[in-house]
Amino acid sequence: MTEPDAHQPQQSPQPGPQAATDPGPEAEGLNIPAGIAALLLPGAGQAVRGEPKRGLLAGVGVLLLFFGGMLIGGIDSIDSKEDRIWFFGQALVGPIAFVVDGVHQNAFKAFDEANPSGPRRSGRPDEHRVRDAAGRPVWAPLTREQIDSGMGPPNVKSVGRINEVGTLFCTIAGMLNLIVFLDALIPPVWRRGAGEAGGGA
Amino acid sequence: MITLAYTPFIDPLPIQSVWYLTLPLLALGVAMAYKAVRVRELSRYPAQVVMFTFQILGGVIALGLLAILVIDILLPLISPMPGA
């Protein structure tokens, strides 16, 4: 699929009045719809631009890292409250990162019974998640019998190297998605209007 | 009732002592995403991904060996620790 000539790179710009004028965002390759699609889903920007295969490969790479990080470090790898700086990088993956973080904060964390006004935290192995009289999730201690029967918090908090590796995977996914987003928004000159064939020179 | 059974994507993998085995997956993911936007012809994509994956692995292993060289060999020569 090819786009109009305005997208084609100029092989040998002609000197004269036209060369001095600003060619505008279209000729520069700026594609706002592709940028918006890229923000919503990794690789979708390339698909909007007419390169679905390239978008699929980029999206699979980014999501492999993101969900690979979750597989290694668990849902605790995405935490906007306890690992805020890392989350800035993870947020670049797009809405998926915010959804996962929202689920983590609201469905897996709870308030400390002894400090109900404090922040939510992950549960310890000897606690389980219950609702208090106000309907807020709080951690309640388990009895020995309950622990022996296998009861515990909804997730195991990741610690040490595994937490570091999982968090790193998800953050690198976000940083790579920034490259993929910029590629969709402003692709390199050699690929403008090239379509699925790759447009290699 | 919620139990402590392992749940993928929710609980961490029990690979604390062999965490370095995750490096090939990291290198592969980086190579897949980066080369998808960098290769000019997608027909060369698989070969480029494989090559870049091994380049990343080689680079990280080289950095690890350099760190061992500096920390375990050079530094003790420059500044011997008492009792070491």
Side-chain angles (χ1 to χ4, degrees):
Chain A
M1 181 199 298
T2 55
E3 293 181 45
D5 288 344
H7 292 271
Q8 296 291 343
Q10 297 200 356
Q11 299 294 332
S12 54
Q14 298 295 319
Q18 274 196 324
T21 58
D22 182 5
E26 277 299 305
E28 291 291 336
L30 188 69
N31 190 325
I32 301 297
I36 292 170
L39 283 177
L40 295 175
L41 184 70
Q46 281 76 10
V48 168
R49 265 197 176 273
E51 296 178 286
K53 191 174 177 188
R54 193 181 288 275
L56 180 69
L57 294 170
V60 166
V62 170
L63 294 177
L64 175 75
L65 282 173
F66 185 78
F67 288 108
M70 281 184 66
L71 180 67
I72 293 165
I75 199 168
D76 196 45
S77 301
I78 319 283
D79 195 332
S80 64
K81 304 295 182 193
E82 293 177 45
D83 302 314
R84 179 169 290 267
I85 300 292
W86 288 98
F87 185 73
F88 289 150
Q90 294 164 351
L92 295 172
V93 172
I96 295 169
F98 288 92
V99 169
V100 172
D101 180 60
V103 170
H104 182 203
Q105 301 300 330
N106 295 306
F108 289 88
K109 288 187 170 186
F111 294 98
D112 197 324
E113 255 190 332
N115 182 22
S117 60
R120 290 176 187 236
R121 64 169 175 82
S122 298
R124 300 183 186 116
D126 61 346
E127 293 175 325
H128 69 147
R129 200 169 183 268
V130 294
R131 299 260 171 199
D132 65 5
R136 296 182 344 144
V138 293
W139 295 116
L142 290 166
T143 63
R144 184 76 247 171
E145 291 74 30
Q146 287 173 316
I147 295 171
D148 289 343
S149 72
M151 283 181 71
N155 71 310
V156 176
K157 189 170 177 63
S158 69
V159 293
R161 291 254 191 261
I162 289 304
N163 182 249
E164 292 169 8
V165 171
T167 305
L168 182 69
F169 264 66
C170 297
T171 306
I172 290 179
M175 296 167 92
L176 277 167
N177 196 41
L178 177 63
I179 296 174
V180 174
F181 161 73
L182 289 174
D183 180 82
L185 186 68
I186 317 164
V189 171
W190 53 265
R191 233 180 55 226
R192 287 180 195 163
E196 191 74 325
Chain B
M1 182 178 80
I2 295 170
T3 66
L4 287 173
Y6 169 73
T7 313
F9 301 102
I10 301 297
D11 298 325
L13 277 178
I15 53 170
Q16 196 76 247
S17 59
V18 288
W19 60 271
Y20 47 83
L21 295 180
T22 60
L23 180 61
L25 180 64
L26 179 72
L28 177 67
V30 170
M32 283 181 69
Y34 185 69
K35 287 297 179 183
V37 296
R38 287 303 297 169
V39 293
R40 296 196 172 206
E41 293 165 29
L42 287 178
S43 58
R44 296 178 58 206
Y45 175 78
Q48 289 280 314
V49 167
V50 170
M51 191 167 71
F52 194 40
T53 300
F54 281 102
Q55 284 173 340
I56 294 170
L57 288 173
V60 172
I61 290 169
L63 283 173
L65 291 176
L66 183 67
I68 290 171
L69 179 73
V70 171
I71 295 166
D72 285 350
I73 298 171
L74 287 181
L75 279 182
L77 286 175
I78 296 167
S79 176
M81 296 293 288

